[in-house]
Amino acid sequence: MNNQNKSLPGKTAQYRKKRKKAKRKGKFIAGLFFFLVFYFVFCLIYVFGVALSIRFRRTETPPHSSDIKLINYSVDSETGKVLETQDFVDFSAVKKIARSEGTAYIPASAFEFLGADITRAGDPVNNVTIILNGVDEWASFGVDSQKATVNGTSVTLGAKAVIEDDELYIPFEFFETGVDGITIEKDRHTCTIKNDGTKQISFYNKPAQTTPYIEESRYFNDLPIKFRADLYKYEQYMNPENRDDFLYLVNTSNLLSEDFVPENLRNVEYTKPDRDKQKMCLNAQMAADAMMIEARKYGFSDLWVTSAYRSYKTQSWLYQEEVESLRDQYGDNAEQEAKKSVNPPGASEHQSGLTADIHNRSTASMKFAGTSQAKWLEENCQYFGFILRYPEDKTEITGIMYEPWHFRYVGRFHAMRMYELDMCLEEYIQYLNK
């Protein structure tokens, strides 16, 4: 019985042989598995390394400002012969800011050196605008910001624009990708920017919401503005074809006559309910109503027009009231003080029929300043053809105190340009007439 449970010698040897074979096969499979895993990891590392090297080859390290040369030259239009060449190598003012993030900077004066006729505008501390006069194009740079606006379109720079020693310095990348009419040559140590001599310097961003002079305005087509409300029927009034007709000054140096009464005065639909219906000229009235309709789409249902057209006689009465109220405090200087807040008759924009006081207070008050309603109006009024007539930072130019409620109609074409250039009406008209 016990012998039957014992394996035969031949069978035992065969079993051992099979076990060895299975073990060798297992080792082979395990080795093959580990080899494939190793090979896969190796391939993955290799591919990643190749991709990384390609990326670094494609993304060259930007040159430092001290390694850049600007070369301006003029070319004979018939022979193509270079007539004049000059190097621009003074980057001493930017060496201390150029190395911050491996970024090179080019001074805005480079445009002039390269042959462009430029005008500088805007806020020299916070937002500088460079206008290329020869091609009527412009770029506005936010200081210490990577945001810029080129011909009305927002772009992002690779680094922040910087002000140093009263000069604007623009990241090199902008010249490389955003400026036409130049050539850029690089080697291991230097980068050379040249005027290529074939065309005027301009910006690559060409959906040009430009800033032309008045006589050229008829050639410009505005880009469509997206509103939340359906304002189609108001468009011709917000952006009129006769866009230069509303661009004139009314102030103490440019008086309206005593008998001046504007044409086409109409009731403003969104007059404050507790006031008599206010009137404005047709275009201004329709544009003001459109602005109030859109404001309500943003939840500002408490914004109203509180004062619009005023006759010469009414303005005279308001001015005298203001003078008398200040007489005890200022004596003989009462009239001079009164002019800071109430224009004398003939000098008030309200007589033009193009102006509206808009706010949500019981009366015009500085308490309106800084509210969300005031901010919305200031940031969006240009789309409807209005400007904030007396900005806080322009009082020395306008001669009038900051009035966050006072909006003047000029039409969208000029309103948008004044907003982008950060100019009040006096500055803008002077700019156009230069």
Side-chain angles (χ1 to χ4, degrees):
M1 294 289 294
N2 293 335
N3 290 339
Q4 292 179 357
N5 294 329
K6 294 180 180 180
S7 299
L8 296 176
K11 290 185 177 181
T12 301
Q14 187 177 7
Y15 174 74
R16 290 175 178 170
K17 187 176 182 180
K18 284 182 178 180
R19 284 189 62 187
K20 287 181 180 180
K21 187 175 181 180
K23 189 180 291 185
R24 286 197 301 268
K25 185 176 180 181
K27 288 181 179 180
F28 174 78
I29 293 174
L32 181 61
F33 174 79
F34 284 114
F35 172 80
L36 291 175
V37 170
F38 175 82
Y39 183 76
F40 175 79
V41 172
F42 174 81
C43 290
L44 191 64
I45 293 173
Y46 177 80
V47 170
F48 179 78
V50 170
L52 198 61
S53 66
I54 291 174
R55 184 184 175 208
F56 278 112
R57 280 202 301 270
R58 288 181 178 176
T59 309
E60 299 177 16
T61 302
H64 295 299
S65 295
S66 56
D67 299 327
I68 296 177
K69 292 193 301 181
L70 297 176
I71 297 179
N72 181 34
Y73 62 90
S74 56
V75 179
D76 187 299
S77 59
E78 294 184 358
T79 65
K81 182 180 178 180
V82 175
L83 303 177
E84 183 181 352
T85 304
Q86 185 180 9
D87 287 357
F88 179 91
V89 293
D90 183 14
F91 283 92
S92 57
V94 290
K95 287 182 181 178
K96 57 186 174 183
I97 61 174
R99 311 250 174 202
S100 58
E101 296 180 1
T103 299
Y105 286 88
I106 309 287
S109 56
F111 285 108
E112 294 175 287
F113 184 85
L114 292 169
D117 176 22
I118 72 170
T119 297
R120 298 168 193 252
D123 180 353
V125 176
N126 299 309
N127 193 288
V128 179
T129 298
I130 302 298
I131 304 168
L132 300 180
N133 296 319
V135 289
D136 291 328
E137 294 187 11
W138 57 272
S140 184
F141 300 90
V143 177
D144 289 329
S145 170
Q146 291 184 232
K147 293 293 184 181
T149 303
V150 182
N151 295 327
T153 301
S154 179
V155 298
T156 301
L157 306 176
K160 297 177 180 180
V162 177
I163 289 285
E164 186 70 34
D165 297 337
D166 297 324
E167 172 65 286
L168 170 70
Y169 290 94
I170 304 168
F172 167 76
E173 176 197 72
F174 181 78
F175 282 78
E176 191 173 32
T177 63
V179 180
D180 197 12
I182 62 174
T183 57
I184 297 177
E185 300 173 358
K186 298 180 184 178
D187 58 30
R188 290 186 61 186
H189 303 291
T190 63
C191 173
T192 302
I193 303 177
K194 300 178 180 179
N195 180 327
D196 65 16
T198 62
K199 52 190 170 182
Q200 288 184 295
I201 291 176
S202 60
F203 298 125
Y204 275 123
N205 196 328
K206 290 299 190 302
Q209 282 194 359
T210 62
T211 312
Y213 295 109
I214 288 179
E215 60 268 25
E216 298 170 341
S217 65
R218 61 185 180 277
Y219 299 116
F220 182 83
N221 293 316
D222 280 305
L223 296 176
I225 306 297
K226 292 183 178 180
F227 295 114
R228 291 185 179 182
D230 181 6
L231 300 178
Y232 176 78
K233 73 175 184 178
Y234 297 92
E235 182 64 22
Q236 62 178 309
Y237 305 102
M238 296 185 289
N239 189 31
E241 291 184 2
N242 56 330
R243 52 176 48 126
D244 300 336
D245 291 355
F246 311 97
L247 198 69
Y248 58 86
L249 277 172
V250 180
N251 55 26
T252 53
S253 300
N254 301 273
L255 299 175
L256 295 174
S257 64
E258 185 174 355
D259 59 354
F260 176 83
V261 178
E263 297 179 353
N264 298 320
L265 286 173
R266 293 160 51 99
N267 287 341
V268 177
E269 182 177 349
Y270 288 87
T271 297
K272 199 169 187 291
D274 62 354
R275 309 290 175 93
D276 292 335
K277 274 293 182 183
Q278 296 298 302
K279 297 180 181 293
M280 300 180 76
C281 295
L282 172 61
N283 283 63
Q285 173 262 316
M286 292 292 282
D289 284 346
M291 187 158 62
M292 294 300 93
I293 292 170
E294 185 72 1
R296 280 151 176 76
K297 289 292 183 179
Y298 283 81
F300 302 129
S301 58
D302 56 347
L303 282 174
W304 301 96
V305 172
T306 63
S307 181
Y309 167 69
R310 296 179 201 151
S311 67
Y312 185 97
K313 184 177 180 180
T314 299
Q315 189 66 29
S316 179
W317 178 82
L318 289 172
Y319 176 68
Q320 290 302 323
E321 284 283 303
E322 184 69 10
V323 171
E324 292 306 316
S325 70
L326 298 173
R327 185 75 68 187
D328 291 342
Q329 182 179 359
Y330 293 99
D332 294 340
N333 295 322
E335 287 199 27
Q336 193 63 32
E337 288 298 318
K339 290 177 181 179
K340 295 179 181 180
S341 55
V342 178
N343 274 308
S348 172
E349 288 199 321
H350 285 278
Q351 190 182 346
S352 71
L354 301 175
T355 296
D357 290 345
I358 304 172
H359 54 83
N360 65 347
R361 316 295 297 185
S362 58
T363 185
S365 166
M366 286 305 297
K367 292 181 179 179
F368 181 60
T371 64
S372 55
Q373 291 89 337
K375 290 178 181 178
W376 186 88
L377 285 171
E378 185 171 349
E379 292 172 359
N380 293 278
C381 65
Q382 74 270 13
Y383 301 126
F384 305 90
F386 286 90
I387 59 171
L388 179 65
R389 181 62 181 93
Y390 302 121
E392 188 172 14
D393 60 343
K394 305 291 184 180
T395 56
E396 291 186 5
I397 300 172
T398 63
I400 301 295
M401 59 176 278
Y402 172 43
E403 294 188 355
W405 58 82
H406 185 117
F407 294 88
R408 160 71 186 275
Y409 177 83
V410 293
R412 182 187 296 153
F413 176 83
H414 295 297
M416 289 186 67
R417 277 140 200 81
M418 274 184 265
Y419 183 84
E420 292 292 344
L421 294 170
D422 190 27
M423 291 181 177
C424 64
L425 188 55
E426 283 84 357
E427 290 177 300
Y428 185 64
I429 289 180
Q430 184 180 9
Y431 161 71
L432 293 175
N433 292 332
K434 66 181 180 180

